[in-house]
Amino acid sequence: SILSCLLMRNSPRPPRLVLVDPKRVELSFYEGIPHLLLPVIKERKQAAEALKAAVRWMDIRYAHFAKEGVRDIESHNATAPERGDEPLPYLVIVIDEFADLMLTLKKEIEEPLARLAQMGRATGIHLVVATQRPSVDVITGIIKANFPVRIAFKVPSRVDSKTILDEIGAEKLLGKGDMLFIPPGSAEPQRFHGPFVSDKETAALVAQWGAEYLSYRLARAFGPNPAVAEAVDKLLSLGLVSALSRSDEPAAEERLQVAAERVAASLGVPLSEALEKLREIRESYYEPIEEMLEAPVEEPAEAEITVPEGDYDPLLPEAARLIVARGQGSATMLQRKLKIGFARAARIMDQLEELGIVEPEQGTKSRKAIVGPEELDRILRQL
């Protein structure tokens, strides 16, 4: 209901969303909408990194406010036109099934979450946290003290009601949207009936935003073409939006190939051109905010293995096949796909260049593969 209200009332510019969904079910609906800052976060470690990054964005905003002599985001945005600045967008971080994160990564999650809850509102960073397990080891005192608004649906016991609301009553609710709500600036709960939003309604809302944004991105990539709407309809009907918005899903390359075939057929462009431009769209699908350029969301650190000097990395064959299949690659891409650290990914890229599999480095651009699958197999057999 909260997300539907945000999407119905706002363009993608004022509120930007970060969605964390450890269960991989509830928030996956929203993949592909232009309001997102990042693909829907499904990994626990990445959720922790995203919260740490949000704390850094908050600190950057406070530094800007101090420099400009304003107190909060409302004052900043009101005076931004006078300084020739762009208004800062509000950020909403939504975490579904918070208990899963707290029980596995409590030390990494609790501190950034408490800081954001304490100080984030003045910088326009807001939190919506949900859990089906309202116990004291999940909703700790530090976290609860800093959330001014709380909602309790029907819970099984008085203890759960006291954990959420600090008083009993939620155990007597009727269910099906019956809820107790503590508004800002009040300690007295009010009883409301929450609205029901079906999966079908959510899918229609998301499809509308996805169609508008995909039409814009395809028109920008391929130029004005009356067949863009037809291409977008095909991509949406086949559920291929996530293939254009993230590269870490199962069978992402195969699904991107299918999307390129549909786009090429609709727009009348060569398949190779469609595939290349869809890859470019995927690399920059979600537009970052300015703070992300100073403090990007780091990839979770992985344990490095020691590779003796002069030996090739054990992951080199897998990395080589991945890059040759895609036609190009980078250390960042290997970092995501192989779940390794940046230093190791960069070493693998250097070894691939040494073997003549990828072209030499040219700034920050992705490196093109300069061998085909047959030639690659010959090179790998000689290692």
Side-chain angles (χ1 to χ4, degrees), residues 48-58 60 112 116 295-298:
E49 295 300 328
L51 286 174
K52 292 173 187 174
V55 171
R56 294 194 293 271
W57 302 338
M58 178 184 74
I60 289 170
L116 288 170
V297 178
E298 303 289 344

Side-chain angles (χ1 to χ4, degrees), residues 45-187:
K45 286 281 187 183
Q46 193 178 9
E49 295 300 328
L51 286 174
K52 292 173 187 174
V55 171
R56 294 194 293 271
W57 302 338
M58 178 184 74
D59 291 338
I60 289 170
R61 289 189 171 189
Y62 270 121
H64 289 171
F65 294 170
K67 182 180 176 183
E68 293 154 7
V70 296
R71 290 180 54 193
D72 53 30
I73 189 171
E74 292 180 2
S75 305
H76 173 278
N77 288 349
T79 58
E82 301 171 11
R83 298 187 302 272
D85 292 340
E86 289 290 323
L88 289 174
Y90 285 83
L91 306 181
V92 181
I93 300 171
V94 181
I95 303 176
D96 186 42
E97 201 40 77
F98 178 57
D100 185 65
L101 297 180
M102 283 295 286
L103 295 177
T104 55
L105 296 171
K106 181 173 180 177
K107 289 182 180 178
E108 296 180 59
I109 292 289
E110 189 173 21
E111 182 186 346
L113 198 79
R115 284 203 67 203
L116 288 170
Q118 286 171 338
M119 301 170 62
R121 287 191 297 279
T123 62
I125 300 176
H126 297 272
L127 291 163
V128 179
V129 174
T131 181
Q132 296 179 31
R133 187 175 181 274
S135 58
V136 291
D137 57 341
V138 174
I139 306 175
T140 63
I142 294 174
I143 290 172
K144 186 165 67 169
N146 291 294
F147 276 82
V149 178
R150 300 180 221 160
I151 294 173
F153 293 100
K154 182 174 175 58
V155 294
S157 70
R158 293 183 169 198
V159 175
D160 292 337
S161 180
K162 285 185 74 72
T163 302
I164 303 169
L165 303 173
D166 291 325
E167 59 182 82
I168 62 173
E171 76 282 358
K172 297 178 181 177
L173 295 173
L174 303 176
K176 296 187 182 297
D178 194 16
M179 69 184 195
L180 291 174
F181 167 72
I182 297 181
S186 170

Side-chain angles (χ1 to χ4, degrees), residues 7 12 19 27-40 205-215 217 236 240-246 285-286:
L7 297 182
L19 305 184
L27 302 181
S28 297
F29 266 123
Y30 298 94
E31 193 72 71
I33 60 173
H35 302 70
L36 294 183
L37 273 183
L38 305 160
V40 175
L205 178 58
V206 169
Q208 179 63 34
W209 274 116
E212 288 186 23
Y213 187 58
L214 270 180
S215 299
R217 292 303 301 264
L236 289 172
L240 294 172
V241 176
S242 63
L244 301 182
S245 62
R246 62 190 308 155
Y285 189 87
Y286 297 116

